[in-house]
């Protein structure tokens, strides 16, 4: 039986047939930071075509020099650009896939001196000031969109997507926030919509009726001075009339201060805005953002909210998402957990995108280059946290005979602790995936008992120790006081925190504990209505930008976070997500003290120095989140027994360890066997 009848249903537009309803949405990959970037891009997209993406939309290409993201950014504006696109397109077509070029003019988000916009108003996230476009500039830009589309068709693309959301140029023209013009291109709604309508008309006229033109519309702006719902609907109808084939949903400008795709955004939180479009137009509408499983996609489609779904990061996590969905293997999908750690955070730090749960992504050519194993080896992996799981299941996939030892009764390691933080329940998907891979790839799992060194020494061709970490213990006088507890006890519910809490250590775990103790339950946080209310989203989109007054948080605890280092807290938080956590904790009045020296704990509370100033914090609970140390007892015994093991993950290096490094190290080691 087909579990996903709506998701797997084809869509026939006459000139193009999509085999199912799951598009791979546009993503900037940053592959240009790597060698052989055209070959890499071709290999990357071809894998997703093989995995049955209905349509792949490329990262954004500018139609002209003004619209580039930055110097040397992706561009399709001249015939000389066409050959490299052909290499990518033919790789996708060879796998039976379809690919559309996204045309994106960066407007005032561009990071080069020639940036332009409807006005000279600079963006709060870009220090550069745009030049106000003249009427001639606007006419030339419309023509450049048409030229780029014609070149895309000539190169062999199956369509284009005109990028008109996320606060880029077209969006800047539609919104009063950025458009203060009093000529034909500003003022009335009709004038503000003139640019997208003229682009759509010109592009359609240039390539004819039998070519796919998707319009990526900002379905909700989430900024002051953004559009109202009625204005967005008017835009949707206008571009439909001007020749758009499909409307794809964009959400929020990049400068919006409401999270749109982070882990804290509940799944499918923005589909209400897609529904408004669907009810307004006759052409197919695509829903997007935080849709990461086939079951969820099926629900969105079955409810009539949209005709297609666009997923971007889920195709990084699993290139074969739709092939597995279609063939009854959806339980084998490696689900995107919305962490942003190896995709957006990499891009924001000028690195090529990859994926925390699938480090092969974006590095396909490098993994292709590993030689095939010469013989089937007997491999023992000890520790079923992310490092050990990744190593064991990858080694088994490569044909080795693998035994995975785990001291705890079940797999997952620290992910079982992390999963209790609001949003991080997504880690359940990773644990489920690895569990399924253990079954399908025939890994022998021996859980519930730690092996002795003698069980391993001399018994295997390769022994891998992935025993992880243990929390650092502190030697502050009085630390044995029952008010002092580990983050593990708090997060696993073994201890209930009191009303006044001090958190020692403000790394990733300190922040997570502060969030856990200050906020609503995980269930409540995952509720879409709760999230939209908390962040102040007007779901009726009656006001410009859909900004309502954010809910006042309920404050049930006084929490203070402490750190020895001076300066701002949270420097190691994710680039794309740290701001969400900072805003959240500030709203909940979580205090932060840096430059702290811990002196003692006694009946009065926690005694500290802040700089030179002595203070006593009269707290009920002190949660120690002071980092971890490697668990290497077994590794040391194996060395002593003359069987030096491979040591990975936290057992190798505890500092700055995260699941991304653990999984990457596990996979790479398995490829070397
Ligand atoms: P572990 O996960 O520690 O796994 C080690 C395993 O070995 C355990 O299952 C243990 O039982 C087993 N073991 C130990 N000794 C033996 C033995 N002698 N024999 C057999 N088995 C043994 N990382 C991120 O990337 N993103 C996040 O958002 C994130 N959030 C986190 C939030 C919290 C609250 C916590 C606690 C961690 C978070 N992490 C996050 C960190 C991430 O969980 C760790 O970096 C990762 O789990 C380390 O993987 P590992 O396999 O090296 O070790
Ligand atoms: P961490 O990031 O290394 O932070 C440890 C904290 O403890 C620091 O604030 C440190 O600050 C303090 N500390 C260290 N030694 C101390 C000592 N002897 N006495 C008192 N304080 C001490 O470690 P973590 O927070 O335990 O996180 C572990 C790993 O999990 C991290 O590497 C992180 O990447 C990962 N993680 C990631 C996420 C994520 O969302 N990506 C979330 C959670 C965890 P001072 O030394 O200045 O006091
Ligand atoms: Fe998804 Fe995280 Fe992978 Fe990005 S790094 S694709 S958010 S799982």
């Amino acid at each position: 039986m087909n579990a996903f009848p709506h998701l797997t249903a084809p869509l026939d537009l006459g000139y193009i047939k999509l085999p199912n309803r799951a598009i791979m949405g546009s993503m900037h990959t940053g592959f240009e930071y790597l060698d052989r970037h055209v070959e890499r891009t071709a290999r990357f997209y071809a894998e997703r075509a093989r995995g049955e993406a209905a349509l792949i939309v490329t990262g954004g290409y500018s139609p002209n020099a003004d619209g580039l993201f930055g110097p040397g950014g992706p561009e399709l504006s001249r015939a000389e650009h066409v050959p490299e696109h052909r290499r990518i397109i033919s790789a996708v077509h060879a796998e039976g896939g379809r690919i559309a070029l996204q045309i994106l003019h960066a407007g005032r988000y561009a990071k080069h001196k020639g940036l332009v916009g409807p006005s000279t108003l600079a963006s709060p996230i870009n220090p550069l000031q745009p030049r106000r476009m003249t009427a001639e500039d606007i006419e030339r830009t419309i023509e450049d969109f048409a030229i780029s589309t014609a070149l895309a068709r000539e190169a062999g693309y199956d369509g284009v997507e005109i990028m008109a959301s996320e606060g880029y140029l077209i969006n800047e023209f539609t919104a009063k926030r950025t458009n203060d013009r009093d000529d034909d291109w500003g003022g009335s709604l009709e004038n503000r919509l003139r640019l997208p309508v003229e682009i759509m008309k010109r592009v359609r006229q240039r390539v004819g009726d039998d070519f796919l033109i998707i319009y990526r519309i900002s379905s909700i702006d989430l900024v002051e001075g953004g559009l109202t719902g009625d204005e967005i609907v008017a835009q949707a109808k206008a571009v439909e009339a001007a020749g758009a084939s499909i409307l794809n949903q964009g959400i929020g400008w990049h400068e919006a201060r409401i999270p749109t795709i982070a882990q804290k955004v509940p799944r499918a939180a923005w589909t209400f805005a897609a529904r408004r479009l669907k009810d307004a137009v006759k052409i197919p509408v695509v829903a997007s953002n935080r849709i990461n499983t086939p079951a969820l996609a099926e629900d969105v489609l079955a409810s009539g909210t949209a005709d297609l779904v666009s997923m971007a990061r889920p195709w990084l996590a699993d290139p074969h998402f739709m092939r597995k969905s279609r063939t009854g293997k959806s339980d084998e999908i490696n689900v995107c957990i919305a962490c942003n750690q190896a995709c957006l955070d990499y891009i924001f730090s000028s690195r090529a995108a990859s994926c925390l749960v699938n480090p092969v992504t974006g590095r396909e050519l490098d993994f292709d280059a590993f030689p095939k194993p010469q013989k089937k080896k007997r491999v023992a992996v000890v520790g079923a946290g992310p490092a050990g799981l990744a190593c064991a299941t990858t080694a088994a996939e490569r044909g080795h005979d693998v035994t995975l030892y785990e001291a705890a009764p079940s797999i997952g390691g620290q992910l079982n602790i992390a999963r209790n933080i609001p949003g991080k329940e997504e880690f359940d998907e990773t644990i489920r995936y690895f569990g399924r891979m253990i079954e399908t790839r025939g890994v022998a799992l021996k859980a519930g008992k730690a092996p002795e060194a003698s069980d391993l020494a001399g018994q295997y061709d390769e022994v891998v120790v992935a025993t992880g970490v243990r929390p650092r213990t502190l030697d502050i006088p009085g630390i044995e006081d029952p008010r002092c507890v580990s983050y593990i006890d708090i997060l696993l519910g073994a201890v209930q925190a009191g009303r006044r809490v001090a958190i020692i250590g403000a790394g990733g775990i300190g922040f997570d504990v502060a969030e856990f103790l200050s906020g609503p339950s995980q269930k409540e946080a995952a509720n879409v209505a709760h999230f939209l209310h908390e962040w102040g989203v007007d779901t009726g989109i009656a006001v410009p930008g859909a900004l309502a007054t954010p809910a006042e948080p309920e404050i049930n605890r006084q929490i203070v976070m402490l750190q020895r280092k001076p300066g701002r807290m949270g420097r190691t938080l994710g680039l794309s997500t740290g701001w969400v956590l900072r805003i959240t904790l500030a709203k909940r009045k979580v205090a932060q003290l840096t430059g702290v020296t811990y002196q003692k704990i006694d009946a009065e509370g926690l005694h500290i120095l802040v700089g030179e100033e002595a203070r006593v914090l009269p707290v009920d609970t002190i949660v120690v989140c002071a980092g971890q140390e490697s668990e290497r007892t077994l590794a040391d015994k194996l060395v002593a027994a003359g069987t030096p093991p491979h040591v990975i993950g936290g057992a190798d290096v505890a500092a700055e360890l995260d699941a991304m490094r653990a999984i990457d190290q596990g996979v790479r080691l398995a490829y070397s066997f």
Side-chain angles (χ1 to χ4, degrees):
M1 201 193 83
N2 181 357
F4 312 115
H6 295 85
L7 181 61
T8 52
L11 180 69
D12 191 350
L13 295 177
Y15 49 88
I16 184 169
K17 284 192 182 64
L18 304 183
N20 62 61
R21 303 301 177 101
I23 289 177
M24 174 172 166
S26 174
M27 266 174 296
H28 186 55
T29 58
F31 292 161
E32 62 273 17
Y33 301 125
L34 301 174
D35 60 339
R36 300 181 289 163
H37 76 269
V38 176
E39 209 181 333
R40 271 180 202 281
T41 309
R43 174 75 178 79
F44 167 78
Y45 285 137
E47 191 67 38
R48 276 79 196 159
R50 204 148 68 80
E52 302 183 7
L55 175 76
I56 291 165
V57 184
T58 66
Y61 283 79
S62 180
N64 60 27
D66 300 342
L68 291 173
F69 273 119
E75 180 177 3
L76 179 56
S77 59
R78 297 186 295 280
E80 72 199 58
H81 296 136
V82 166
E84 70 178 46
H85 287 266
R86 284 214 172 105
R87 284 163 62 193
I88 296 166
I89 297 162
S90 49
V92 169
H93 286 170
E95 294 292 349
R98 291 141 300 278
I99 182 164
L101 177 90
Q102 188 187 70
I103 307 179
L104 183 158
H105 189 301
R108 71 175 190 161
Y109 284 159
K111 295 272 169 53
H112 59 78
K113 289 198 174 122
L115 75 167
V116 296
S119 64
T120 55
L121 291 166
S123 159
I125 57 168
N126 188 0
L128 302 173
Q129 189 176 23
R131 178 175 65 77
R132 186 178 192 275
M133 292 171 82
T134 63
E136 291 73 39
D137 290 327
I138 296 171
E139 164 53 33
R140 181 176 49 79
T141 301
I142 295 168
E143 182 59 17
D144 289 340
F145 269 88
I147 291 170
S148 192
T149 306
L151 288 171
R153 183 161 201 178
E154 186 191 324
Y157 279 109
D158 301 287
V160 293
E161 177 171 270
I162 306 291
M163 178 51 158
S165 72
E166 264 74 3
Y168 293 114
L169 183 80
I170 297 177
N171 223 180
E172 289 160 18
F173 268 85
T174 60
K176 284 186 182 155
R177 175 181 182 79
T178 33
N179 186 342
D180 62 2
R181 305 177 75 97
D182 55 9
D183 60 4
D184 289 349
W185 305 96
S188 68
L189 178 64
E190 190 187 354
N191 282 357
R192 284 182 280 123
L193 296 184
R194 196 178 305 284
L195 180 66
V197 169
E198 290 304 317
I199 288 174
M200 187 55 71
K201 280 187 189 161
R202 187 83 58 92
V203 164
R204 177 56 78 199
Q205 182 208 358
R206 194 64 50 90
V207 288
D209 288 339
D210 58 345
F211 193 63
L212 179 71
I213 305 176
I214 304 171
Y215 185 76
R216 180 93 184 268
I217 186 167
S218 183
S219 64
I220 185 163
D221 285 339
L222 302 178
V223 287
E224 273 174 36
L227 269 60
T228 63
D230 288 348
E231 290 176 326
I232 293 164
V233 163
Q235 181 187 177
K237 289 182 168 170
V239 293
E240 177 182 37
S245 329
I246 289 180
L247 283 186
N248 189 7
Q249 180 189 21
I251 296 146
W253 292 31
H254 285 318
E255 66 206 57
R257 294 286 86 187
I258 294 174
T260 57
I261 57 167
Q263 223 166 26
K264 296 197 187 316
V265 179
R267 290 178 174 187
W270 303 106
T271 49
F272 72 91
R275 177 88 220 193
R276 290 179 64 98
L277 299 172
K278 167 86 180 134
D279 291 342
V281 297
K282 295 193 179 61
I283 54 177
V285 168
V286 188
S288 81
N289 282 36
R290 288 296 275 125
I291 298 170
N292 61 346
T293 67
L296 190 58
E298 178 69 17
D299 284 352
V300 170
L301 298 169
S303 63
T305 301
D307 304 282
L308 298 124
V309 290
S310 172
M311 291 176 276
R313 297 171 299 169
W315 289 99
L316 300 183
D318 197 326
H320 294 174
F321 186 99
M322 272 314 293
R323 190 176 53 72
K324 291 177 183 175
S325 302
R326 183 182 59 77
T327 56
K329 294 184 174 172
S330 60
D331 59 348
E332 295 179 23
I333 292 176
N334 198 356
V335 167
C336 165
I337 57 169
C339 64
N340 288 353
Q341 287 177 238
C343 51
L344 284 188
D345 288 349
Y346 268 26
I347 294 293
F348 286 178
S349 52
S350 302
R351 282 187 287 174
S354 185
C355 175
L356 178 144
V357 298
N358 179 12
V360 176
T361 288
R363 310 293 183 272
E364 287 84 355
L365 290 184
D366 308 328
F367 282 93
D368 290 347
F370 276 95
K372 291 240 169 341
Q374 292 301 301
K375 69 165 200 156
K376 185 179 182 113
K377 290 184 173 175
R378 296 197 66 219
V379 177
V381 179
V382 185
L389 287 167
C391 186
T393 55
T394 308
E397 185 185 27
R398 286 173 64 78
H400 299 298
D401 181 359
V402 182
T403 304
L404 175 59
Y405 295 90
E406 168 56 51
S410 52
I411 64 168
Q414 288 179 69
L415 299 187
N416 292 307
I417 307 170
R419 65 159 309 287
N420 296 295
I421 310 293
K424 294 196 181 185
E425 63 274 11
E426 289 285 2
F427 275 127
D428 288 347
E429 297 286 0
T430 310
I431 299 172
R432 180 219 21 95
Y433 167 76
F434 278 125
R436 187 74 186 114
M437 290 305 104
I438 285 172
E439 289 167 8
T440 60
R441 295 175 186 172
V443 174
L445 174 64
K446 296 194 174 182
K449 188 172 177 296
E452 299 298 329
S454 56
D455 296 331
L456 308 165
Q459 312 287 317
Y460 292 93
D461 298 311
E462 309 283 355
V463 176
V464 182
V465 169
T467 46
V469 292
R470 51 186 136 73
R472 179 175 285 125
T473 50
L474 301 183
D475 59 4
I476 305 168
I479 193 77
E480 63 291 343
D481 188 292
R483 285 168 296 168
C484 299
V485 295
S486 150
Y487 62 87
I488 298 178
D489 292 333
I490 292 288
L491 296 176
L492 293 183
V495 173
Q496 296 299 314
R499 224 180 47 76
R500 297 166 305 169
V501 179
I503 298 174
I504 294 185
I509 292 180
F511 268 88
D512 275 352
V513 167
E515 144 110 289
F516 177 85
L517 291 177
S518 63
S521 70
Q522 198 173 44
K523 191 164 170 227
E524 218 177 337
N527 178 283
V528 173
H530 180 276
F531 165 81
L532 296 171
H533 184 53
E534 179 186 359
W535 285 91
V537 178
D538 164 27
T539 51
I541 324 185
V543 291
L547 295 187
T549 309
E552 279 298 321
E554 259 184 59
I555 298 173
N556 298 323
R557 284 199 176 93
Q558 287 170 14
I559 300 175
V560 55
M561 299 173 67
L562 306 167
Q563 163 185 297
R564 296 175 305 176
K565 281 186 286 295
R568 200 165 72 113
M569 253 182 207
R571 286 176 199 271
T572 57
L573 296 176
L575 289 174
S576 66
T577 49
W579 65 272
V580 182
L581 202 41
R582 276 196 207 91
I583 293 178
T584 304
L585 295 184
K587 279 200 285 199
R588 295 178 189 164
K589 308 263 188 291
V590 173
Q592 301 186 339
L593 291 177
T594 61
V596 166
T597 309
Y598 306 107
Q599 293 192 300
K600 63 176 178 183
I601 296 148
D602 65 14
E604 280 185 88
L606 173 61
H607 293 247
I608 57 170
L609 292 177
V610 184
E612 303 288 297
E613 185 200 344
R615 290 203 206 168
V616 186
L617 305 175
V619 289
D620 308 308
T621 309
I622 298 165
V623 189
V624 179
C625 307
Q628 292 107 1
E629 282 154 6
S630 296
E631 174 48 67
R632 297 181 65 105
T633 315
L634 179 68
D636 292 344
K637 283 185 186 165
L638 283 164
V639 171
T643 309
H646 306 276
V647 184
I648 58 171
D652 176 27
V653 180
E656 291 172 24
L657 168 73
D658 58 14
M660 182 164 66
R661 168 154 67 78
I663 292 176
D664 184 74
Q665 215 181 352
V667 169
R668 282 177 196 277
L669 177 63
Y671 265 82
S672 73
F673 294 157

